Amino acid sequence: MATAFSLAHYTLFSLRTSSLFLHRRRNAFNHFSVPFSSSSSLSTTDKRKWRRPVVSILELGGVKIAKDDVVRDDPTNNVPDTIFSKLGMQLHRRNQHPIGILKNAIYEYFDTNFSSKFDKFDDLCPLVSVKQNFDDVLVPADHVSRSYNDTYYVDSQTVLRCHTSAHQAELLREGHTHFLVTGDVYRRDSIDSTHYPVFHQMEGFRVFSPDEWEPSGLDATSYAAEDLKKCLEGLARHLFEGDIVKFGKQLKYVHHFEYLGYEFNVKENWLEVLGCGVTEQEILRRNGRPDNVAWAFGLGLERLAMVLFDIPDIRLFWSNDERFISQFCSGQLGIKFKPFSKYPPCYKDMSFWINESFTENNLCEVIRGVAGDLVEEVSLIDNFTNKKGMTSHCYRIAYRSMERSLTDEEINDLQWNVREQVQNKLNLVLDETFLASQNV
Ligand code: FA5
Ligand code: MG
């Protein structure tokens, strides 16, 4: 039986520029920084403050949340201000926004084809326990997705959900057998046009009882797998109909890691839009349904909306620019986004000696902290190890606003701030020789 969950990050969308600076000259380095441990002590008591009503501007799924419930100067907390500022935006609940339009279109498909049997949830609190986010969906204890590098921890026992699967167990226990859960999810991740640290997922879950699969002559798992395939293909037809024919977009059903994945082929690029599978029997057994079988899927709404509406960059979903917002209309799936501008990108390279605790996700978070949505892409363009075994990385940062031209001065300021923070927050030593030749 397919294991339903793998959080391995995987994208087939962009191929990065390969090494450009293989021959740059290196100086021996005297003050290589002492690696510090990035893993935090988990001993702090689990305060669960967010469960208590507090005076706050945010109320999510009936839970009141103040900023210091989520962002704290505490080793068990790694949520930055930039992430807090996205909590409560709930793009999926705005009927005029592409994410909301897509959610409603998927609702329509399920309501029409399954006579409104699917219960819908779009207001469940994104703060969940480690148990809900990982244990309940059988993510192994040592899985990389549990790390502070991949997930935003509010405290040692509480996270910002990294997928809508975090709600499967509780909904099953409440007796739901057909449900859709839409919500904002949070991940520490790389930076490019299809990855953003906050995005939206829709979870689908359907439970079958023996009287459904027995007459078919199929075993329970095959029956559920067939049904899942039919359901997703129907959904794709509902959303894409004309387009698939017109633009040659194709659907493919493939194996990805432990669960099945669906990809859309868009103009020669593969774009991963969802994960799905027949759920582990253990999940059903633990939640009061030992004699049933079920399927589940987790759909990345931004990725799908990018394809449907021709939206070229994931940052646009967060834009308040009228020229973006006003192009979309409640209930209208057929609209194609017309770029209102093409401002030039500006590239800045930075080079530093990495230490043991260096990770690309940490670097990306620092850069987002400084540049916010002005950063378009961060890519490793060179990787070099000297005779002493010290490794240097050269990253290229693409700055580009979706809304206006950036001045040289502004970009230089950003880059200087990034350089400072890379040294101060990540304890990295810049490779100045190389930077001198880069004019920054
Ligand atoms: C999951 O999150 C599983 N919980 C999905 C699932 C549910 C599998 C039920 C089986 C059963 P994954 O990590 O692949 O899987 O994420 C699902 C989708 O979210 C991806 O296909 C992609 O469309 C989207 N996604 C993932 N990371 C990002 C990101 N950083 N930015 C935007 N979209 C993302
Ligand atoms: Mg993934």
Side-chain angles (χ1 to χ4, degrees):
M1 184 173 293
T3 305
F5 300 96
S6 158
L7 298 178
H9 290 179
Y10 185 65
T11 173
L12 289 160
F13 199 57
S14 64
L15 278 178
R16 293 174 189 278
T17 330
S18 56
S19 180
L20 297 175
F21 301 102
L22 291 173
H23 306 298
R24 57 197 160 104
R25 205 162 51 80
R26 300 281 175 169
N27 277 0
F29 226 86
N30 300 329
H31 48 291
F32 187 62
S33 63
V34 182
F36 71 106
S37 163
S38 66
S39 61
S40 327
S41 142
L42 301 183
S43 62
T44 309
T45 47
D46 167 17
K47 298 189 185 86
R48 298 290 179 87
K49 273 207 298 185
W50 52 271
R51 288 199 185 279
R52 280 190 272 128
V54 288
V55 180
S56 166
I57 44 158
L58 286 182
E59 178 158 354
L60 299 173
V63 180
K64 288 202 168 127
I65 299 167
K67 184 170 175 190
D68 64 1
D69 292 325
V70 182
V71 182
R72 285 194 319 273
D73 190 13
D74 174 321
T76 66
N77 183 292
N78 64 352
V79 184
D81 286 0
T82 46
I83 289 296
F84 179 77
S85 69
K86 297 288 195 286
L87 267 168
M89 300 280 274
Q90 299 200 303
L91 304 182
H92 60 286
R93 301 183 76 202
R94 301 184 191 176
N95 293 333
Q96 315 269 341
H97 190 281
I99 299 294
I101 298 170
L102 176 55
K103 180 196 80 174
N104 290 333
I106 301 174
Y107 277 3
E108 191 184 279
Y109 167 74
F110 278 93
D111 282 347
T112 311
N113 290 278
F114 303 93
S115 20
S116 303
K117 256 182 131 177
F118 279 78
D119 301 322
K120 304 187 220 47
F121 302 88
D122 72 352
D123 193 23
L124 300 177
C125 183
L127 287 150
V128 299
S129 64
V130 166
K131 179 176 176 297
Q132 287 171 294
N133 199 70
F134 297 118
D135 303 336
D136 284 354
V137 287
L138 312 179
V139 174
D142 58 354
H143 196 275
V144 60
S145 64
R146 290 181 183 251
S147 71
Y148 273 60
N149 189 52
D150 284 34
T151 292
Y152 289 109
Y153 279 80
V154 170
D155 60 43
S156 66
Q157 298 306 318
T158 314
V159 297
L160 289 172
R161 68 183 163 212
C162 72
H163 54 176
T164 42
S165 303
H167 300 288
Q168 282 187 7
E170 66 193 84
L171 292 173
L172 272 172
R173 279 197 302 276
E174 284 170 17
H176 301 282
T177 55
H178 298 62
F179 55 85
L180 300 171
V181 180
T182 315
D184 37 328
V185 301
Y186 299 78
R187 289 187 197 177
R188 300 183 88 235
D189 217 328
S190 49
I191 296 181
D192 65 28
S193 63
T194 61
H195 288 80
Y196 202 78
V198 190
F199 59 100
H200 296 77
Q201 284 189 344
M202 186 186 290
E203 190 86 1
F205 203 96
R206 179 174 183 178
V207 178
F208 299 90
S209 51
D211 56 2
E212 288 174 270
W213 73 76
E214 277 169 4
S216 75
L218 293 173
D219 63 276
T221 306
S222 312
Y223 183 84
E226 276 303 306
D227 189 84
L228 172 62
K229 193 169 178 226
K230 244 189 292 164
C231 173
L232 289 174
E233 280 172 356
L235 174 62
R237 268 196 306 278
H238 176 77
L239 298 176
F240 281 94
E241 198 91 75
D243 266 1
I244 291 177
V245 179
K246 211 159 90 202
F247 298 112
K249 289 171 185 163
Q250 282 182 353
L251 299 173
K252 212 183 172 191
Y253 201 54
V254 293
H255 284 271
H256 268 169
F257 303 98
E258 299 105 315
Y259 58 76
L260 297 166
Y262 243 113
E263 293 178 329
F264 292 111
N265 187 335
V266 193
K267 296 168 194 138
E268 305 297 305
N269 285 310
W270 289 102
L271 181 60
E272 178 202 339
V273 293
L274 66 81
C276 62
V278 176
T279 54
E280 289 260 32
Q281 207 54 39
E282 180 65 10
I283 294 179
L284 295 172
R285 198 189 60 75
R286 285 188 192 179
N287 296 292
R289 301 235 159 235
D291 303 323
N292 298 84
V293 69
W295 56 239
F297 65 79
L299 188 60
L301 292 180
E302 274 81 353
R303 300 269 181 89
L304 198 49
M306 287 172 83
V307 179
L308 271 168
F309 297 101
D310 271 356
I311 295 173
D313 191 299
I314 198 163
R315 290 172 296 164
L316 279 163
F317 292 105
W318 300 93
S319 173
N320 285 320
D321 193 315
E322 268 302 312
R323 291 171 296 175
F324 175 77
I325 298 168
S326 63
Q327 292 196 27
F328 304 97
C329 237
S330 177
Q332 290 196 26
L333 258 196
I335 293 168
K336 297 294 173 203
F337 172 65
K338 290 182 207 65
F340 43 83
S341 58
K342 270 217 171 86
Y343 299 105
C346 176
Y347 300 102
K348 293 285 178 191
D349 295 345
M350 71 185 309
S351 202
F352 46 79
W353 300 97
I354 61 161
N355 57 31
E356 275 173 17
S357 59
F358 172 77
T359 68
E360 191 170 295
N361 286 354
N362 287 344
L363 175 69
C364 286
E365 187 134 287
V366 160
I367 299 172
R368 279 218 207 266
V370 172
D373 283 357
L374 297 180
V375 53
E376 177 172 88
E377 181 154 6
V378 175
S379 42
L380 180 65
I381 58 172
D382 188 21
N383 186 344
F384 167 93
T385 303
N386 70 9
K387 284 191 188 125
K388 292 184 177 169
M390 290 157 61
T391 298
S392 148
H393 281 177
C394 181
Y395 275 91
R396 172 158 294 173
I397 306 174
Y399 294 102
R400 188 209 302 250
S401 167
M402 300 267 111
E403 291 152 12
R404 62 193 175 83
S405 283
L406 299 174
T407 63
D408 284 349
E409 201 185 344
E410 193 175 8
I411 291 162
N412 285 336
D413 274 359
L414 290 173
Q415 183 67 4
W416 277 107
N417 277 330
V418 166
R419 284 161 48 83
E420 277 223 340
Q421 298 221 3
V422 160
Q423 294 171 90
N424 298 339
K425 286 198 174 165
L426 303 181
N427 257 357
L428 296 170
V429 178
L430 298 179
D431 182 348
E432 299 292 352
T433 323
F434 177 64
L435 285 165
S437 70
Q438 288 289 294
N439 253 346
V440 285

